[in-house]
Amino acid sequence: MSPLTLILTCLAGWLAVGLAGVFFARRFFFVARILFPAGAALAIGVAAAALASIFSDPETAILPLGLPGLPFHLRLDALSAYFLCLLGAVAAGVSIYAAGYLRRREGSATPGQQCLLYHLFLASMCVVLLADDAYVFMVAWESMALSSYFLVTSDHRIAEIRRAGYLYLIVAHIGAIGILLSFGAMSGGEADGYTFAAMRTHELGGWLQSAAFLLALAGFGAKAGLLPLHVWLPEAHPAAPSPVSALMSAVMLKTAIYGLLRVAFDLLPEQQWWWGALLLGLGLATAVFGVVFSTVQSDMKRLLAYSSIENVGLIFAGVGLSLVFAANAMPLLGALALTAALYHCVNHAFFKSLLFLTTGSVLHATGQRNLGRLGGLIHPMPWVAWLALVGVIASAGLPPLNGFVSEWLLLQSFLFTPQLPHGYLNMLLPVAAGAVALIAALAGFAMVKFFGVVFLGQPREEALAQAHDAGTLERIGLVWLAAGCLALGVLPNFVIATLDPVTQLLVGSGFANSAGKGNWLLLAPISEERASYNALIFLGGIVACTGAVFVAVRSLFHGRLRRVDTWDCGHPVAGGRTQDTAEGFGQPIRQVFAPFFRITREHPSPFDREPHYRIVVEDPLWHLLYLPLARLVEFGTRLVGLLQRGRIAIYLMFSFVTLLALLMFTTR
Amino acid sequence: MDIDALLPQFAAQLFELFAALALAPLLTGWVNQWRARLQGRTPPPLLLPYHTLMKLFGKEPLLAHNASSLFRVAPYLIFSCMALAAAIVPTLSSELLFAPAADAIALVGLFALARVFIALAGMDIGTAFGSLGARREMLIGFLAEPALLMVFFTASVISGSTSLATIVDTLAHREFHIYPSLAFAGVAFTMVSIAENGRVPVDNPATHLELTMIHEAMILEYSGRHLALIEWAASLKLFAYSCLGIALFFPFGIAQTLGPGALAIAVALMVGKLALGGFLLALIETLSAKMRVFRTPEFLGSAFLLAVLAVLVHLLLEGSR
């Protein structure tokens, strides 16, 4: 069986699993404990088939579905295969976790409905990655948006969640319009111009080509959370059930990256360097914005959602840098930057889904999403806490885990920018490298806040001591993803070797052959004198050194220990109220980055018997961009509403006037 | 790779690691002595840090009831991070076994890893001071880290590599002309090292005044062997930063070949340079007053700007060389 057939079989399997969930909706045990693990097995099948096909030639298929005369064109090439691999590997962990996470009565959607929507969501993301014509792409893109919309609003009795879902739906459709128009521009107005194969051959004029790129950027940027179309992301991700948040953040955002790569490198024949510069600037702005906002959040899932915006921004910056190199005929450096971006895609998919799933366990154990009511959970939930620590270290971009490798590659590719022929650009780019360093450091701040406030310290509420650890299936899912973070971190050359066909396809060069030069552990892009990093030795060094110090201290001195009360500096204060709150921990950021926020403070008056201090930190773009836009739309609709009088005589008069006007127009 | 070439590299690596472990408290003692002398106090004995470490290792650690295992693991981890950092820096020789495994960016990552763990350990007990220190430490961290990376970028744009060994080789063997970019980078690096090592004017290692302390606030709950490891790690960090500064800006005399003669010269020069550097650090600390915590963003922001300026100056003025 060819890989494409195998993937399509798995897709059909997902649909069957989803339908089975609806038919056996009353049998909770069957839906949760049998169907979801089956979905996970199919996901592993997709990942394995995609991995097998990544080194082989592209494979195409035409499915006689869709409208008569408009069959579905599918194609599996290296780029699709890489993203399918990401999807399958992450979805396997998330599905296993979801099997343990589902509750009989939670939210308004039954487990059966969730099962259908969840697997439909997976299947449509798969089809997006496989699509080879604009028609099937848009069908899959829309079914992805709709199934995820219904998953986000699965608890639709809560007004806040309905609102979040509505916002998501609007932005998703604005984005879809952009993508559709971009395909329209690339089709060249021909009858069968809607297939990607035809688009590749079209010679577009200069401005039309740039228009197609900009439309695609707007469309895919809206899905990925690029500034200023990011507003839905911090609303929709916290509203969704945690496995869905994980999938949306880990995989759905990556389909947008995939779409942009497909359009910019594959479908459009010539790249302009300023596209790359634009992407780079937008990406860095998004990343700085996302990370600064993630440090001041008090809701743990919103914190992670903003961190996803940051990571998407970094990926876009890498893609932009790669475009700049590729447009200047430097394919090797383009491959380096693109590898960094694609590597970060899979890294982010693993660590962010891990972190979102741990928030799911915390949510089930405590019923709290607010950081101000959590704390000290490492004691009742050691599994979740230690696995979350893996995600936190990876997400903060620290060695020896995976987040560091892609940031290292990105910084390396920035260091080559002085070779560019653009005088001003190559002077701006070191500053951009500084921005990447700042983003990585701030991500560390956000992650310390997340982990420290949720899992460390004293519990801020009495009930937290009764929290329970994750169940077995949840643990399996978490361990799978954490192991992925570790493996991607210590064996980077395997990932880079898999990325080689992708960069060959997109920028016409790969550097897997130059990386390492036979030493399969040493990551050395371009050359070993230039830069090298060996994650396994790094990890081994830390582990060995820690172990040696431990043994030495124990054997040279002693291992005695005494448990005492916390030293209270002579001020006996009971309880966890004296520790930093989430707001307190974010205070330095609010002070340093004050111009980024719209801060409103409510101070208590000195005579208040029950004083309250309230601080609201908002996204200034809401007030600068979205609310004026909404008011404008409202104004327009009110104008249109003038026509609507509610009396039949007036409507008849409208028809009459229209008829008269048409008659005059035609008989003239 | 053949074993014969690896063995001397391995020996040099081990020698450097143990030299760092042994000498780091001496540097701390030396700086403390000079600080006392310059401030008109009677200096403490030079070997006092060793004595303190031995005393602390012998004592029984007191652990809060709600301390988690992370709190107990953290000191070992922080210590080994700093020991590795000191081993990566080409202090005595650039022919090190560990050199290809970690470059300048990985070194920054190693420092960041230690910082994250010490901040998490500070938050673990759940006291007001611990989390206050953790947040201030992370504030300084996110400001200092980009500046430090930009300093390394300056050096790596000059030498065309981020590998520390190659950077040192290039800078030590260049024809003698003055790089203005390195002067900017040097000032930035000094500012970053002062902040990262918790020295006046950013932090004061000798105070437990709640308004100002950063590093001490995080480690308030540590005692016994845990505290000893953290203190030793702090000395190692100061040692590693000093050696980094020497390697980047005054690399003359670092051995490029592995012979006993070259190593002996390297050790002698290194001790001399470190003694001078320690004196200068004590001088800076004596001449400046402690800043408010919220002045540090300005301090480190200017360090970042200087480092960016260093890269730009290199690209603008020195690019053709």
Side-chain angles (χ1 to χ4, degrees), chain A residues 11 18 32 34 50 73 95 178 198 263 289 319 323 331 364 397 410 425 435 438 501 545 589 625 628 643:
Chain A
L11 280 188
I34 308 278
H73 294 76
S95 291
V263 170
F289 181 90
V319 173
L323 262 175
H364 267 177
L410 192 59
L425 200 59
L438 177 70
C545 204
I589 306 280
L625 180 66
L643 296 175

Side-chain angles (χ1 to χ4, degrees), chain A residues 204-240:
Chain A
L204 297 178
W207 71 269
L208 197 58
Q209 192 176 324
S210 295
F213 173 78
L214 291 178
L215 283 167
L217 176 61
F220 291 117
K223 190 58 119 190
L226 206 60
L227 215 65
L229 292 168
H230 64 281
V231 281
W232 65 273
L233 216 148
E235 304 294 327
H237 282 210

